[in-house]
Amino acid sequence: MRKIFSKLHLWLSVPFGVIITIICLSGAILIFEQEIIRAQKPQLYQVEAISDTIRLKPSELVVRIKEQTADSLQLTSLLYSGFAHETCQAEFKNSGRKILSINPYTGEVIGWIEGNRFFQQVRKLHRWLLDAPAQKGEQSFGKTIVGISTLLMVLILISGIFIWIPRTRKGLKNRLTLSCTKGWRRFVHDSHVALGFYATLFLLVMALTGLTWSFGWYRNAAYSLFGAEKQTAASERPANEKTAGQQKLQKENLLDYTVWDNALSELQMYYPQYKSIKLNVNNAQIAPNRKSTMRRTDTAKFNPANGKIEHIQYYQDLPKSQTLRGWFYAFHTGSWGGIWTKILYFIAAMTGGTLPVSGYYLWIKRIQKKQE
């Protein structure tokens, strides 16, 4: 049985090892994307908190924003942070994915938060080998290759476990340690075996969750496994789909932004401590847990005429089909446990990127030895 797993491990790794290395190393880079972006331009995310000054109301901020931006920009949402030292962020209908950063105390426009081109390319490499699908949700050659490679990576890791399992306690000790005094080849062998063992659990979690973005059949099976139906979240609907109320307000530009004043004031009574409140045309998204790194938000519907809160849809009451995607994302990226799980995921992903390299080295050395 061990010989079968050895051959399976080898002949799956040889053709797909390079792609697995690319996927793992690019994934490791993306783990700390937000932390790096914020560190590069901290002024877009942080301001000096003025304890004696109350932050401007939404309608007051809107006035200041319109004074400093082009008339063609149509405001669609305003995000208030629950932390006094963080900026407000405004989104516009026709500004692409750019977000405007504003000082919540003065209304001064600080600048645009734009996507980082380096990380955008790394993400394309990680998800699609730079061959992005024509439209969201569709397949492409690169996306298919990444999916197949990730699926085979699961088999490679599982076969590696069966190969690794020692027969004796002494063998177990040898498998878990690195030898630095018995030559370079022995060091590479020990690092491949020991580091592979330590990283396998994390790599399996990353691979099994990542496959939900590669194959629809796998995603449906994973959702069914956790007792949820096929996902029908808003992210799978056409990007231009809006409610009738949103279309009417945006078309006729009837939104009175003092409505947001009333909605925000009432929500701050419901949520004395919050991470963020994002005000949209006729609803608000609230991240209630200030310490959570998960994408958990409540949605509050308010009357677009007076801002009175009519209904709050709490995250914990959502169907599993709408919450599992967030869980899969958190366990895929390591964000579920904060900075410490991100560090562990980074180390595991970097290790996963080096395992095929050390495996190629050992394979070539074995071939050379047989030819001698």
Side-chain angles (χ1 to χ4, degrees):
M1 185 63 72
R2 190 182 294 267
K3 290 183 178 179
I4 295 175
F5 281 115
S6 295
K7 290 186 179 294
L8 179 68
H9 188 82
L10 174 63
W11 294 114
L12 290 180
S13 300
V14 169
F16 290 95
V18 173
I19 300 174
I20 291 173
T21 292
I22 293 172
I23 294 171
C24 287
L25 294 183
S26 59
I29 295 172
L30 292 172
I31 288 175
F32 291 107
E33 176 184 359
Q34 290 303 316
E35 288 80 359
I36 293 172
I37 290 176
R38 283 176 173 263
Q40 287 178 330
K41 296 182 178 180
Q43 71 278 7
L44 293 177
Y45 301 93
Q46 296 184 350
V47 294
E48 183 180 353
I50 306 174
S51 58
D52 296 330
T53 305
I54 300 175
R55 286 186 291 186
L56 296 177
K57 295 179 181 180
S59 60
E60 295 172 333
L61 271 181
V62 170
V63 172
R64 302 290 178 88
I65 291 170
K66 289 185 175 180
E67 291 174 349
Q68 302 170 74
T69 58
D71 294 337
S72 59
L73 292 175
Q74 184 177 341
L75 184 67
T76 57
S77 70
L78 193 62
L79 184 143
Y80 272 77
S81 172
F83 299 95
H85 63 277
E86 291 191 349
T87 61
C88 279
Q89 297 178 4
E91 294 184 9
F92 300 87
K93 181 181 178 181
N94 46 355
S95 64
R97 294 190 175 184
K98 296 191 299 182
I99 299 173
L100 195 63
S101 176
I102 308 112
N103 187 317
Y105 300 99
T106 65
E108 177 190 0
V109 170
I110 301 171
W112 289 99
I113 299 174
E114 303 182 61
N116 185 286
R117 291 184 180 179
F118 170 75
F119 285 111
Q120 289 174 348
Q121 290 300 112
V122 172
R123 184 174 291 101
K124 287 182 180 179
L125 180 65
H126 179 70
R127 298 183 63 182
W128 310 304
L129 295 179
L130 301 179
D131 179 30
Q135 293 184 0
K136 186 176 180 179
E138 293 186 354
Q139 289 294 121
S140 69
F141 180 76
K143 181 179 179 180
T144 301
I145 293 299
V146 168
I148 292 173
S149 300
T150 305
L151 187 60
L152 294 179
M153 178 181 171
V154 174
L155 298 178
I156 292 169
L157 291 170
I158 293 174
S159 62
I161 293 174
F162 281 96
I163 298 170
W164 178 90
I165 296 174
R167 294 187 175 89
T168 64
R169 184 173 297 181
K170 183 178 180 181
L172 176 63
K173 182 179 179 181
N174 291 335
R175 295 287 174 86
L176 294 175
T177 56
L178 289 174
S179 175
C180 301
T181 59
K182 298 181 180 179
W184 174 249
R185 183 177 178 181
R186 177 60 184 272
F187 174 78
V188 174
H189 176 272
D190 288 351
S191 65
H192 186 81
V193 173
L195 295 180
F197 168 75
Y198 291 123
T200 289
L201 177 60
F202 294 101
L203 292 173
L204 277 174
V205 171
M206 290 183 231
L208 291 172
T209 53
L211 283 169
T212 60
W213 282 274
S214 295
F215 301 115
W217 60 266
Y218 181 92
R219 180 169 58 253
N220 293 337
Y223 274 63
S224 298
L225 181 65
F226 288 95
E229 298 179 355
K230 181 181 178 180
Q231 187 183 20
T232 56
S235 59
E236 292 190 348
R237 297 198 300 266
N240 60 350
E241 184 179 334
K242 297 185 178 72
T243 64
Q246 286 177 309
Q247 291 175 339
K248 181 179 178 181
L249 287 169
Q250 290 182 4
K251 182 178 179 180
E252 300 179 14
N253 196 25
L254 298 176
L255 182 61
D256 179 1
Y257 291 103
T258 58
V259 170
W260 282 359
D261 297 349
N262 300 331
L264 179 62
S265 178
E266 191 171 351
L267 286 172
Q268 287 174 333
M269 293 176 63
Y270 282 115
Y271 299 89
Q273 298 289 325
Y274 61 90
K275 186 175 182 179
S276 66
I277 294 178
K278 183 178 181 180
L279 299 165
N280 303 301
V281 173
N282 59 357
N283 68 58
Q285 295 171 306
I286 308 98
N289 192 336
R290 304 183 77 177
K291 296 182 180 180
S292 176
T293 55
M294 296 277 289
R295 295 179 172 182
R296 297 179 178 179
T297 57
D298 299 340
T299 300
K301 293 280 293 183
F302 59 80
N303 189 319
N306 55 25
K308 183 176 177 58
I309 304 300
E310 297 177 337
H311 174 71
I312 297 179
Q313 174 67 67
Y314 295 99
Y315 177 85
Q316 60 266 27
D317 296 332
L318 290 172
K320 285 186 178 180
S321 59
Q322 296 184 38
T323 60
L324 280 176
R325 183 181 178 89
W327 279 104
F328 285 141
Y329 178 83
F331 275 91
H332 182 68
T333 60
S335 60
W336 58 271
I339 189 65
W340 294 110
T341 50
K342 281 193 169 188
I343 292 173
L344 290 174
Y345 269 54
F346 175 79
I347 295 172
M350 290 296 292
T351 301
T354 63
L355 289 176
V357 177
S358 58
Y360 282 131
Y361 174 84
L362 295 172
W363 177 56
I364 292 171
K365 286 295 182 181
R366 187 184 306 169
I367 293 175
Q368 291 176 343
K369 186 176 181 180
K370 288 182 180 180
Q371 292 176 346
E372 291 178 356

